[in-house]
Amino acid sequence: VQLVESGGGLVQAGGSLRLSCAASGGALSAYIMEWFRQAPGQEREFVARSSWSGFNTNYADSVKGRFTISTDNAKNTVSLQMNSLKPEDTAVYYCAARLPWQNPNNINYWGKGTQVTVSS
């Protein structure tokens, strides 16, 4: 499975960005798709996850109500709509794929990441 993120950039606080993750290879529908982020000097942290059906989604408390994860099965893409961005959302955002029976910390595949910078 290959994962390629896009859509990062520089935005002012209060603004919006939409990240996309293009997935290819393997039986994609078998995986739970997730977004993580890592700020400088901090550990990578969970942001959001979704099944490919979109029926099962979860969010970190820090982004709940502001970020929305969605999937497009026809295009094999997973998106993260980020609204009301804050400077503390600044990080490299990673797309990830995990088999559902794996421990949440055991990600099977990672993308290379895309930088999101929120200015105050």
Side-chain angles (χ1 to χ4, degrees):
V1 173
Q2 293 79 44
L3 305 173
V4 180
E5 303 95 335
S6 62
L10 173 64
V11 64
Q12 289 188 332
S16 299
L17 277 176
R18 186 176 182 87
L19 305 183
S20 292
C21 172
S24 61
L28 298 176
S29 61
Y31 294 87
I32 295 173
M33 302 304 296
E34 309 199 17
W35 285 96
F36 287 76
R37 67 186 182 187
Q38 187 168 20
Q42 298 186 22
E43 293 187 355
R44 194 173 298 189
E45 65 174 1
F46 165 76
V47 174
R49 67 170 60 94
S50 176
S51 60
W52 276 102
S53 69
F55 290 140
N56 298 302
T57 60
N58 296 98
Y59 298 90
D61 287 343
S62 59
V63 307
K64 202 171 292 184
R66 299 188 299 123
F67 291 11
T68 302
I69 188 171
S70 61
T71 58
D72 185 330
N73 291 272
K75 297 181 178 179
N76 288 341
T77 59
V78 182
S79 297
L80 185 69
Q81 178 66 42
M82 306 186 296
N83 299 328
S84 302
L85 283 162
K86 305 175 182 179
E88 51 263 44
D89 294 318
T90 295
V92 178
Y93 283 71
Y94 297 90
C95 180
R98 175 175 60 85
L99 290 168
W101 55 84
Q102 296 274 32
N103 183 290
N105 292 324
N106 291 341
I107 296 297
N108 295 96
Y109 299 98
W110 291 99
K112 292 185 178 181
T114 185
Q115 176 71 47
V116 171
T117 303
V118 184
S119 63
S120 57

